[in-house]
Amino acid sequence: MSAQVQIVLVAATWAVVVGVVGLAFGWLLRHRSLRLQFGLVAVTAVLAVLAGVLAVARKMFISDHDFEVITIVTATAGVVSLLVAMLLSMAIVTWSHGFREDVRRVGARVPSTDAPLPRRRGPRELQDLSTELASATLRLAESRARETRLEEARRELVSWVSHDLRTPLAGMRAMTEALEDGMAPDPERYHRQIRAEVDRMVRMVDDLFELSRIHAGVLPLAPERVPVGDLISEAIAGADPVARARGVRLEGSVEDGLEITADPGGLSRVLANLIMNGIRHTPADGLVEIRARALEGGVELSVTDGCGGIAEEDRARVFDVAWQGGAARTPDLTDVHTSRAGLGLAIVKGIVEAHRGNVSVENVVEPAPGSGCRFLVVLPT
């Protein structure tokens, strides 16, 4: 066996022995600080080198002086390596403590989108973790803000619905008492009025049920290829009696051959809600116009009314639950075609987003500034 092979075998044997012992200590210290584990790595590496060098030196039968020199040089290098490892471990422990504080701050407070984000520190792996933590912080802040808005919307919805229910219930109670006492001057009219109020409350309950399914993410959709012209024609035909009663004109235009893959019932509900909303806010002799045109990769539906425009501060709340565009909470008793609970546009937004589309509103300047607003629905084909 050559001398080189003997040297390799002796050095490898002692390195393996020291490495096994180091692994055993590492297993015992696996739950301790990184400082100890880094120190153990440095000590194991130095002892493996030292043991191999000393064993090979003994095999070479060198002088005691040379052996002492080798021992001192190796031990000195080991001490320096240990100091470097300890300093590096202290830096990493400091960085990990800072990272832990960032995580603790995220869990201990309500994050805000304008709050300072966790800093990037330490080696690349810790910097990547800091980046992910910053991203998670922003997502959590947005989620908390969205939850706050939803909670405010729920409270406002309860307030609006309780008022909208209390008013017709009080009226029906008064009318039924008058009928029971025989004090009603026109019983038939009272019966018709009670029926109208019941129908309105039924529509309100249906809207609440639809909105709850949208918020729960369980809105059933059955997409199929449908002509957009047919959907708009049916929506106009359904709203035409209401428009005539209010003296509002309905007009529609669709590009030839325009089709879309969507749930016919859901899209019909979107068009009906937008058209009825336009009719309700357009004065007599006004115009509600429905248009559809193809876009790149999608279809745009627009409903333009003569509402007089929406204030800038209110435009962001148009699709909020229970928002009705005014402070008055008394429902329009002549409007028997809507629930008037401020749910129509919220349902529109939910159905459109379930189709992976988006809906927006803008003021129109035709023919005069602030003469109306236009609701835009963009759906992918």
Side-chain angles (χ1 to χ4, degrees), residues 37-303:
Q37 298 187 35
F38 269 89
L40 178 62
V41 171
V43 169
T44 301
V46 170
L47 289 179
V49 173
L50 181 60
V53 169
L54 295 180
V56 171
R58 284 299 183 186
K59 289 289 184 180
M60 296 173 62
F61 301 103
I62 62 176
S63 65
D64 292 339
H65 177 268
D66 293 340
F67 184 80
E68 182 179 356
V69 170
I70 293 175
T71 303
I72 293 174
V73 171
T74 307
T76 303
V79 171
V80 173
S81 299
L82 180 61
L83 289 176
V84 172
M86 294 303 294
L87 290 176
L88 181 59
S89 66
M90 291 176 60
I92 292 180
V93 168
T94 301
W95 293 328
S96 66
H97 286 169
F99 186 76
R100 183 181 62 187
E101 290 300 319
D102 290 337
V103 175
R104 180 180 298 153
R105 283 196 296 270
V106 171
R109 61 181 172 82
V110 177
S112 172
T113 53
D114 55 356
L117 297 177
R119 295 180 300 167
R120 290 170 57 89
R121 53 167 67 89
R124 185 176 63 184
E125 288 77 8
L126 286 181
Q127 290 185 15
D128 293 340
L129 286 176
S130 297
T131 301
E132 290 298 324
L133 180 61
S135 178
T137 301
L138 287 177
R139 291 196 299 270
L140 181 59
E142 293 171 356
S143 176
R144 294 281 179 85
R146 184 166 55 251
E147 181 182 353
T148 301
R149 291 196 300 269
L150 287 175
E151 184 61 29
E152 292 175 353
R154 291 190 188 99
R155 288 196 296 266
E156 190 174 359
L157 174 62
V158 171
S159 176
W160 281 89
V161 171
S162 62
H163 183 277
D164 285 353
L165 287 176
R166 189 184 300 114
T167 300
L169 286 174
M172 286 191 294
R173 180 174 183 177
M175 287 186 285
T176 54
E177 290 176 352
L179 289 171
E180 289 176 354
D181 297 338
M183 302 297 293
D186 187 355
E188 292 297 327
R189 184 175 65 85
Y190 276 33
H191 288 148
R192 290 193 300 270
Q193 187 65 32
I194 291 174
R195 176 60 183 270
E197 295 294 350
V198 170
D199 289 343
R200 181 179 290 109
M201 287 188 289
V202 168
R203 284 189 294 273
M204 185 183 300
V205 172
D206 290 341
D207 286 348
L208 286 171
F209 179 67
E210 188 82 358
L211 197 63
S212 67
R213 291 196 298 177
I214 290 173
H215 286 170
V218 295
L219 182 67
L221 296 178
E224 60 183 70
R225 200 68 178 173
V226 292
V228 178
D230 292 348
L231 292 174
I232 292 181
S233 297
E234 293 173 1
I236 292 177
D240 187 64
V242 184
R244 289 180 181 274
R246 289 179 171 267
V248 176
R249 292 179 293 117
L250 294 179
E251 293 183 2
S253 64
V254 183
E255 292 183 359
D256 294 336
L258 189 59
E259 293 185 346
I260 188 173
T261 301
D263 178 64
L267 202 53
S268 296
R269 182 72 180 274
V270 168
L271 289 171
N273 284 8
L274 291 178
I275 293 173
M276 294 302 299
N277 179 77
I279 294 173
R280 189 168 64 245
H281 292 92
T282 299
D285 297 329
L287 172 66
V288 174
E289 189 175 18
I290 306 95
R291 293 181 178 273
R293 65 188 182 96
L295 297 177
E296 184 177 355
V299 172
E300 180 189 79
L301 307 175
S302 66
V303 177

